[in-house]
Structure formats: C-alpha cells, structure tokens
Amino acid sequence: MTTRPDIAVLMPSYNPGDDLAPTLASLRKQTIPYHLFLVDDGSPRKPDYAAALAGLPHTLIELPKNVGITGALNAGLAEIYKHDFKYIARMDCGDEMTPDRLELQVAYLEAHPEIDIVGSWIEMVYTESNRRFVLAWPTEHEGITDRLWTNMSLSHPALTLRTSSLKALGDYSNEYDAAEDYELCRRAMKRSFKLHNIGKVLLLKTETRDSISWRKRRTQLMSRWRIQWAYRNLANPRCLMGLVKTGLVLAVPDGLAPHLKAIVGTK
C-alpha cells in the first residue's frame, strides 16, 4: 500500500497560461514527496491539465465558476482536510520553489514543534523592469510579529503550516479582498501562534501586471488598513505606525510601488 506523503501543496490557478510550466517544473525537482492540490478557479481558458500534471502526485479541483483566490484556497483546504496531511505548503502559479524548499521547511517544523508557521526569504522579479531583489524578512518570531503591525513579514506563497494549526485558525477570511494572507497572519499573531522565517531564499516570485499585488494594489492596501484597524492596539506605537504608513503608501503612484517595495519591503 502506498503511504501518503506528509505534505500537501495548495496552489490556486486562474487562466494560468505559460505561468504553469515553470511552477510545475520546480515542483518536480523537490527532494521530498508531496501531493499537489491544484484548484482551478473557474478558468475560461484552461490549459491541458492532464498533460501538464502527468507524473505529478496531484488532485485537480476544477471550480464551476470563478470565486476569487480566497474561495479557491478554502476549496482546496476542504479537500486537503479529507486526508491525513501533517503539513500544508502554499504555492502560487508562476512562482518557482528551490529544490530544497519543502525539505528544509518540513525539517524545521519537525525539529521545532513549538513553531506553527514557517516561511522563508524570497527573491522578487518584476517582469516589466527586470528588477530583482531579495525580501529578507526577519527570521525570529519577535521580529516577525513586530513588523506585522505595519506590513507583511512572511511571504504567503512561501509558507508551510502545520495542518493542525491552520485548522485551529480557521479558513481564509472573505472580508479583506487581496489581503487574505495578511489577515491570516494577523489572526495567528493575535492568537499567539509561533512564526519563523528560514533565512534563505526558497522561492522565486515573479510579479507581472496581471499579479494581484499589481492589479489590485489599492484594494489590497485598503484591505490592509482595515485589517490593521480590526486588530488594533492603539497603546502600541507600532500599531499607530502601521495605520499611518499604510495611509501614506496609498498616496504613492502605482508606477513607483515596485521601487518602494525594493527599498523598504512594502507591498
């Protein structure tokens, strides 16, 4: 009897086009077993999934209509929870894992049972300008949570979570369009879940004009501000700084946003 691997990889997809191939190629290079849960979010232009996924351990979930990334993620989680996976790794279509990403993150969680969520540093690539830089997030819990008052300090598609911890946190919220990852992390922070980033680039993230953080930048920033207000602690200067900073970033023209992100690590 075949033993199911410990880790499920959750990846939503919408009209993936050419973005799918490099992502799946990076999955094929992983050094430990996994099972991919690919959620097609009602794409009107679907690739030949049978050919693309041939040879990969996978479950393809094809939603009848487009529900957005939050709905797609929750649909994927519902399917994953039917099985006995110890860990859930996030991945976005178009991004590429380093071959040792899953192995290193699972090994870290195995060695540190107190940690609920582990991320990593990521390399950002902007196709419009060919600009590249590394987001070197804080690695320890205190630094991560300190920065979460003002912005993300973990990269959503680079996260691996204990399934038990994610079940305890609950599904992704539909209340914060384009910022469901930030809300989940703030919820984890409020409930004292332990966070860590591996201080090594384990993901190459490509940003194009079709990326959510580009297409829905202002919506994302407004959602971030609402999350900061929902989880506010006005006695904490970092909380006040986050509310002010997000308001100021909203004033930055969209064309300058990638340059600002490279300098200060903001979304």
Side-chain angles (χ1 to χ4, degrees):
M1 183 172 64
T2 301
T3 302
R4 185 175 287 277
D6 281 340
I7 187 164
V9 177
L10 173 57
M11 184 174 78
S13 173
Y14 181 73
N15 291 339
D18 294 336
D19 291 341
L20 186 62
T23 301
L24 296 183
S26 75
L27 277 166
R28 294 180 190 277
K29 296 175 184 177
Q30 292 305 296
T31 55
I32 63 171
Y34 61 88
H35 190 94
L36 171 65
F37 287 79
L38 194 159
V39 185
D40 183 276
D41 187 16
S43 299
R45 299 185 302 278
K46 293 183 182 181
D48 183 351
Y49 280 123
L53 296 167
L56 280 176
H58 72 275
T59 297
L60 175 62
I61 304 162
E62 296 185 81
L63 302 182
K65 64 179 182 179
N66 179 249
V67 297
I69 186 170
T70 301
L73 288 170
N74 286 335
L77 288 180
E79 187 62 34
I80 290 171
Y81 290 159
K82 296 176 183 178
H83 308 283
D84 189 25
F85 291 100
K86 192 173 181 180
Y87 305 110
I88 298 172
R90 275 284 289 111
M91 183 68 174
D92 281 343
C93 188
D95 297 345
E96 299 175 57
M97 298 183 185
T98 62
D100 57 352
R101 178 221 162 156
L102 296 180
E103 181 177 3
L104 289 177
Q105 290 186 320
V106 167
Y108 189 88
L109 290 170
E110 287 286 314
H112 298 85
E114 75 282 4
I115 299 297
D116 297 284
I117 302 171
V118 63
S120 75
W121 293 356
I122 67 170
E123 183 174 0
M124 299 290 300
V125 179
Y126 283 87
T127 58
E128 295 291 320
S129 61
N130 202 31
R131 187 177 179 84
R132 305 173 74 105
F133 56 91
V134 171
L135 286 176
W137 305 116
T139 56
E140 300 304 319
H141 176 80
E142 291 75 14
I144 294 169
T145 54
D146 187 56
R147 182 164 176 160
L148 273 173
W149 285 106
T150 59
N151 197 358
M152 279 294 280
S153 49
L154 307 107
S155 293
H156 191 206
L159 296 184
T160 295
L161 310 91
R162 295 186 190 277
T163 303
S164 57
S165 300
L166 190 49
K167 283 183 176 180
L169 275 174
D171 284 351
Y172 287 90
S173 172
N174 286 300
E175 299 297 318
Y176 303 100
D177 189 17
E180 75 291 333
D181 52 348
Y182 184 50
E183 192 281 330
L184 187 77
C185 290
R186 288 299 301 266
R187 200 188 325 161
M189 172 180 162
K190 183 177 182 179
R191 295 180 57 179
S192 300
F193 281 52
K194 296 301 181 183
L195 315 172
H196 183 81
N197 278 314
I198 292 174
K200 178 181 178 181
V201 172
L202 299 182
L203 186 85
L204 181 72
K205 182 163 187 61
T206 301
E207 291 280 312
T208 71
R209 287 194 178 274
D210 291 327
S211 300
I212 288 176
S213 60
W214 199 314
R215 286 189 296 106
K216 304 181 77 172
R217 176 176 173 267
R218 294 193 176 275
T219 298
Q220 187 179 65
L221 286 169
M222 283 302 303
S223 291
R224 184 203 299 171
W225 194 94
R226 290 173 53 231
I227 292 164
Q228 290 170 343
W229 183 252
Y231 289 97
R232 65 190 178 277
N233 175 3
L234 298 181
N236 186 325
R238 295 289 289 173
C239 172
L240 297 173
M241 184 186 303
L243 290 165
V244 171
K245 180 179 177 182
T246 301
L248 291 174
V249 174
L250 269 166
V252 174
D254 290 345
L256 294 179
H259 304 285
L260 181 63
K261 189 168 186 176
I263 296 170
V264 300
T266 188
K267 280 177 101 174

